[in-house]
Amino acid sequence: MCTYCGCESITVIGRFMAEHTEIVNAAGSLRRACEEGNPSQVAAAVDAVGALLHPHTRAEEVGLFAVMRQQEEFTDHIDSLCAEHTTLDAQLERIAAGEHDLVDAFLHDLRHHVDREDNGLFPASAIALDGPDWDEVDRATPPVP
């Protein structure tokens, strides 16, 4: 998590960063479950990760990402982050279906994705967006489930 620019003091950014920590921690439990090979533990861990990941990515996409996408210089970056959301979802589904050997790739891709947001997009949003933009982000972002 970035702590150098202060972007986490923006309420929605602070929320997303905290959610990243929860998701990564839950993914660690998923890794341990996959290593132990107990199908019911894997299923519970997949459910726990999904319960955190899916509302989080949706909130990012309909809130911050939608507002940032209005600025052309961010469109490609936002598109690539959304594609990563899709990849993470697909990997999680495959793990749930029994491909436990994908857990390391999932964790790698998840951490890389979180790094791109926490240390790239979020600090950039703090600079690029202004008061009315943040009001729009706040209005469009679903509340924490």
Side-chain angles (χ1 to χ4, degrees), residues 29-136:
S29 295
L30 175 60
R31 170 188 259 163
R32 287 186 294 282
C34 287
E35 288 171 350
E36 291 174 13
N38 180 319
S40 64
Q41 289 178 338
V42 173
V46 165
D47 289 347
V49 172
L52 295 169
L53 183 64
H54 299 135
H56 169 81
T57 57
R58 180 179 180 278
E60 286 180 332
E61 289 179 10
V62 301
L64 180 64
F65 288 14
V67 173
M68 290 196 76
R69 186 176 267 127
Q70 295 170 13
Q71 298 183 28
E72 188 175 328
E73 66 267 27
F74 294 111
T75 302
D76 289 342
H77 192 70
I78 296 295
D79 289 346
S80 72
L81 291 171
C82 290
E84 289 175 6
H85 287 170
T86 301
T87 297
L88 292 168
D89 286 342
Q91 289 173 323
L92 194 58
E93 287 177 18
R94 289 175 62 193
I95 293 167
E99 294 184 54
H100 300 170
D101 59 329
L102 284 178
V103 72
D104 287 334
F106 174 77
L107 283 165
H108 174 270
D109 292 349
L110 175 65
R111 288 179 181 272
H112 176 73
H113 177 79
V114 165
D115 181 61
R116 290 186 66 212
E117 290 183 353
D118 284 359
N119 295 304
L121 185 72
F122 295 164
S125 72
I127 295 166
L129 301 181
D130 60 17
D133 294 324
W134 288 112
D135 291 341
E136 186 177 348

